[in-house]
Amino acid sequence: MIGFIIAGLVIGALARLIKPGRQNLGIVATLLLGLAGSVIGGVVASLLGTGDIFELNFLGFIVAVIAAVALIGVAETLAGRRRAPTRRF
């Protein structure tokens, strides 16, 4: 369980480094998006037959980072819509 959390933090941090621009995400959001990315990466690697969902392998790690980058983009878009100021004419 602790290894899963650490892997989520590493994957989330790598995704934030890869994604250009400034992200307004805290450590908890980074952890959660990294964990979600690692689950997606594990599922894809498992479907491709390279390992188990909870086994960390190269393909699963790469897919996890790519998934986490995409999830960070979605989170930024959703957060931006919530905070968009209204224009008054």
Side-chain angles (χ1 to χ4, degrees):
M1 186 71 163
I2 303 254
F4 194 62
I5 292 172
I6 291 171
L9 275 173
V10 169
I11 289 168
L14 279 173
R16 285 186 67 179
L17 287 173
I18 292 171
K19 177 115 175 56
R22 185 169 187 257
Q23 298 94 25
N24 291 327
L25 299 173
I27 189 83
V28 174
T30 301
L31 170 66
L32 293 176
L33 293 173
L35 287 174
S38 66
V39 169
I40 292 169
V43 168
V44 169
S46 175
L47 290 174
L48 293 175
T50 61
D52 190 15
I53 186 171
F54 295 111
E55 181 181 313
L56 187 61
N57 57 31
F58 184 73
L59 179 64
F61 184 78
I62 297 300
V63 173
V65 172
I66 293 169
V69 168
L71 290 172
I72 288 172
V74 170
E76 285 180 320
T77 302
L78 293 176
R81 286 185 188 168
R82 248 186 303 147
R83 290 188 239 161
T86 58
R87 295 184 183 182
R88 295 185 185 183
F89 295 101

